[in-house]
Amino acid sequence: MTVPKYPARRSSVAAYFEQAIERCGRTQAEIAEALGYDQPNIISMFKSGRTKVPVETIPKLAELLGVSELYFLKLA
């Protein structure tokens, strides 16, 4: 008998991040570049919850996405 595999539940940070990206008007590549990441796929990893958003990047992310830094930090 095989055990079904369920996808990992996304954190509220990942869900908030995904919604903020959709509203901000910037591409994932633009956001990654502004944060100093070489590969834009890190943004996809944040959105999916596969990788945690580093707390130290939240102030810059909040600025780029036009969201509340305080709220974003509280979620994290």
Side-chain angles (χ1 to χ4, degrees), residues 9-64:
R9 294 181 73 192
R10 286 189 332 157
S11 71
S12 57
V13 175
Y16 181 73
F17 184 62
E18 180 177 24
Q19 292 171 359
I21 288 175
E22 290 172 4
R23 290 188 305 253
C24 80
R26 295 178 191 262
T27 66
Q28 291 183 188
E30 290 170 336
I31 295 167
E33 182 179 332
L35 294 173
Y37 291 108
D38 294 331
Q39 300 295 321
N41 69 325
I42 189 68
I43 305 303
S44 294
M45 294 169 71
F46 292 158
K47 282 175 42 178
S48 70
R50 288 181 289 161
T51 300
K52 291 183 179 182
V53 177
V55 173
E56 62 272 8
T57 65
I58 289 177
K60 180 68 175 177
L61 268 173
E63 179 185 331
L64 290 167

